[in-house]
Amino acid sequence: MVSRPVNNPANVSSLRRMASICFLLLGAGFAIGAPQQEPELAPEVLAAQQKRVEAMRKASMATVGVFGMDSQGGGSGVCISPDGYVLTNFHVSSPFGHRMRCGMNDGKMYEAVVAGIDPTGDLAVLKMYGRDDFPTATIGDSDRVRVGQWCFAAGNPFVLATNLQPTVTYGLISGVRRYQYPSGTILEYSDCIQTDASINPGNSGGPLFNADGELIGINGRCSFEKRGRVNVGVGYAISIKQAMNFYGNLRSGRIVDHATLGFTVATDTQGRVVVSNILESSDAYRRGLRYGDEVLRLGDRDISTSNQLKNVLGIFPDYWRVELRYRNEQGVQEAAIRLQSLHQPGELEKIVEGSSEQGPKRSGEAKPTASKDSLAEKYESRRGFGNYYFNRSELDRIVKLQESRKPTLPTSGPDDSLQVRFVGSVIGESTAVEARFDPEKIHWTLADKNSSVTVKGSSGKGGWGPWIQNQDPLPISIAMRLWYQWHEQGPRKLGEVIYIGQSPVLGKQGLLDMTRVVLGEVTAEVYTSISSGDIELIELFTDRQTDPAEVYFDYDAASPMAPMPSRVRLNYGLESRLVVEWLKLDTLPVEKTEDVPGGQP
């Protein structure tokens, strides 16, 4: 007899559990063996990634690797104009001398020369040759940069870009408006941007972009000295605002200088930023600032600490005029003050020469001989200049611009025997005005008062200086003669001419070209429109300790004087002294007289 298992409920339950476990394990085995699908990314994530990739691709096209003439060594830069102007650091360009090579994302190496240098702010401008359609960076607004925003740096760290493709590193804005102390009086980083995007040796001079691929800074210092030459997430970039403030001056080929206010400040017991010392020769003093006054604002920045004032000052070139707001016993005052040079004449050149001799040497520093150098003609050595060739080049641009709009003038040269006469009247009055000049004399008539100076009286006894220092209206005639000769003969025939760069002018939009003309004891600074070449302002200086005569020019296409100026305004300091409307231009025979200049002020 065959025995049969007992139908025990406990055994049945156990068998069922075992069967369930086997089924689950079998199913799991099938699941493990089956191919897994990648999780789908949200469309907005993919869109953000693609935007970042495209921004980096475009930005990389304008990134430049800077090398010595033997293609060794290396730093970085960024191209900002289709004709090949590059922003970089002074400490990147200086070891290479005036000649270097620049590599771009297209895999090609381009010959380059230094244009202008800013040792104080650690900036330099190079000029590449070989194309007239170089890819350029889009200039951003560094004033809008905030802590926590994404950014990325591009460049050539550790000379990794052997194929000239830049390295791109991503990070955050860690700080804004930082200050890094200078080495003596050079390599000062003011109002700079701090980032944790990796910036290593070789990144110097390269671009810092915001998340949209807009240029917001020029990478420079990192915290290497104290922490070894490796990135520790603390890098600094010169703001693009500062770089573009200096860019026009750097294209002049000069060794450009930074500014000083002519006064110092301290924090008082109430936490106010007050004037602690002031030079009576400073423009700030002439505008009314005094010891103990509270400084409230400089430029477009409110001032709440002494360090903040120094930080803001560093973004401006010398000779610029900036708005100053301060509080004295009479209340809140506002004035535009003219900045002074940080260094004494010749001092900066000596510092640069010393830093070049003591600075690091690179294998690419050797300069090619003129017979082998294809860009030998693009460099001219002259004291006070990084490359004087570019000063001549910028002056050529201004001459070409004004020649295209040259008005028809009644005389043809300095030997003409005619006297040129501008006839007009004082605005709002019937008072007659004449500005006349001939090859020997400059005359001024206001109502029944006549004054004159000799053309050669710009220096020595009976010169133009006393008329300017005594704030007389006769300098209007001097300025009109200068305007006339500028168009008749060209700037180079007027005296010793130097193109300074670009500068703001009160009441005018944007920046203007500024050219300095030395006329004996008087220096004229001529401001012309970048687009039209029209003379907008002529300033006549006897020195930097007194106010110049400022003659502003207005143009009216509907005026019978067009395209010549229809009116002029004479200012001393910030005060308008006289506004004249010109009605006609004609000529008179020169009166041969033996009288000496009369009407001394």
Side-chain angles (χ1 to χ4, degrees), residues 523-592:
T523 297
E525 293 186 346
V526 182
Y527 295 81
T528 54
S529 167
I530 294 174
S531 58
S532 69
D534 288 336
I535 294 178
E536 303 281 354
L537 166 65
I538 294 177
E539 295 179 321
L540 299 170
F541 289 86
T542 56
D543 54 51
R544 295 288 170 177
Q545 285 72 50
T546 56
D547 286 330
E550 304 173 29
V551 181
Y552 292 82
F553 296 78
D554 290 330
Y555 300 84
D556 182 357
S559 167
M561 293 294 293
M564 293 177 285
S566 57
R567 65 175 58 181
V568 294
R569 182 179 82 253
L570 174 66
N571 277 28
Y572 283 101
L574 299 179
E575 297 181 12
S576 176
R577 299 299 180 86
L578 191 66
V579 182
V580 175
E581 182 175 14
W582 297 123
L583 303 174
K584 69 174 182 177
L585 168 65
D586 60 16
T587 59
L588 300 171
V590 176
E591 297 180 3
K592 298 295 183 179

Side-chain angles (χ1 to χ4, degrees), residues 437-442 453-458 464 481 485:
F437 45 87
D438 54 54
E440 295 183 359
K441 292 184 180 180
I442 302 172
V453 292
T454 61
V455 166
K456 296 182 180 180
S458 56
W464 302 348
R481 176 178 178 268
Q485 290 185 314

Side-chain angles (χ1 to χ4, degrees), residues 15-206:
L15 289 171
R16 287 176 177 172
R17 285 198 300 271
M18 291 178 65
S20 298
I21 292 171
C22 290
F23 178 79
L24 290 173
L25 289 173
L26 184 62
F30 280 117
I32 293 171
Q36 295 184 354
Q37 293 183 349
E38 294 184 5
E40 292 187 4
L41 295 177
E44 54 268 26
V45 174
L46 292 173
Q49 176 178 274
Q50 184 56 39
K51 179 182 177 182
R52 182 170 63 250
V53 169
E54 178 59 23
M56 290 182 174
R57 183 198 66 80
K58 184 178 179 181
S60 295
M61 298 296 292
T63 302
V64 175
V66 181
F67 303 91
M69 288 302 294
D70 57 1
S71 300
Q72 299 300 309
S76 305
V78 58
C79 184
I80 60 171
S81 73
D83 55 346
Y85 281 95
V86 173
L87 277 171
T88 186
N89 288 143
F90 167 70
H91 80 260
V92 168
S93 69
S94 58
F96 296 135
H98 70 273
R99 279 288 273 115
M100 59 282 298
R101 289 192 170 106
C102 292
M104 296 202 74
N105 192 285
D106 60 3
K108 296 180 181 179
M109 198 78 82
Y110 296 92
E111 301 298 319
V113 296
V114 69
I117 56 175
D118 168 20
T120 304
D122 196 19
L123 284 171
V125 164
L126 315 178
K127 176 68 166 68
M128 297 188 295
Y129 292 88
R131 293 173 62 177
D132 57 7
D133 61 345
F134 285 101
T136 62
T138 300
I139 305 299
D141 184 354
S142 52
D143 278 348
R144 300 180 64 182
V145 173
R146 297 292 182 268
V147 172
Q149 292 177 342
W150 293 108
C151 64
F152 62 94
N156 186 23
F158 304 113
V159 201
L160 293 175
T162 54
N163 61 354
L164 303 182
Q165 306 298 303
T167 297
V168 178
T169 55
Y170 203 52
L172 290 172
I173 300 296
S174 310
V176 295
R177 299 173 182 175
R178 299 295 200 204
Y179 181 81
Q180 292 290 294
Y181 286 94
S183 173
T185 59
I186 65 173
L187 306 183
E188 177 184 44
Y189 281 53
S190 59
D191 207 48
C192 59
I193 301 168
Q194 180 186 336
T195 178
D196 72 348
S198 292
I199 297 176
N200 288 290
N203 272 114
S204 291

Side-chain angles (χ1 to χ4, degrees), residues 449-519:
K449 181 180 179 181
N450 299 303
S451 307
S452 65
V453 292
T454 61
V455 166
K456 296 182 180 180
S458 56
S459 62
K461 185 177 180 180
W464 302 348
W467 300 89
I468 298 170
Q469 292 170 344
N470 286 281
Q471 302 190 354
D472 192 90
L474 181 140
I476 291 179
S477 282
I478 298 174
M480 293 309 300
R481 176 178 178 268
L482 192 58
W483 181 96
Y484 194 93
Q485 290 185 314
W486 180 280
H487 291 88
E488 182 189 49
Q489 304 172 32
R492 288 191 170 92
K493 298 289 184 68
L494 303 180
E496 181 185 349
V497 181
I498 297 173
Y499 176 73
I500 299 300
Q502 295 175 357
S503 176
V505 167
L506 296 180
K508 304 291 183 180
Q509 293 294 323
L511 301 179
L512 301 181
D513 284 316
M514 196 258 273
T515 304
R516 182 172 295 158
V517 185
V518 179
L519 305 165

Side-chain angles (χ1 to χ4, degrees), residues 314-357:
I315 70 174
F316 297 114
D318 58 348
Y319 304 121
W320 273 33
R321 265 181 165 172
V322 297
E323 295 290 337
L324 175 70
R325 182 183 299 166
Y326 63 95
R327 181 184 287 115
N328 59 17
E329 294 179 352
Q330 287 72 45
V332 175
Q333 313 293 332
E334 292 188 353
I337 62 169
R338 198 183 305 268
L339 302 177
Q340 301 173 237
S341 297
L342 178 62
H343 297 88
Q344 295 296 319
E347 181 184 4
L348 192 55
E349 291 92 323
K350 292 180 180 179
I351 293 173
V352 171
E353 291 169 2
S355 66
S356 298
E357 293 172 0

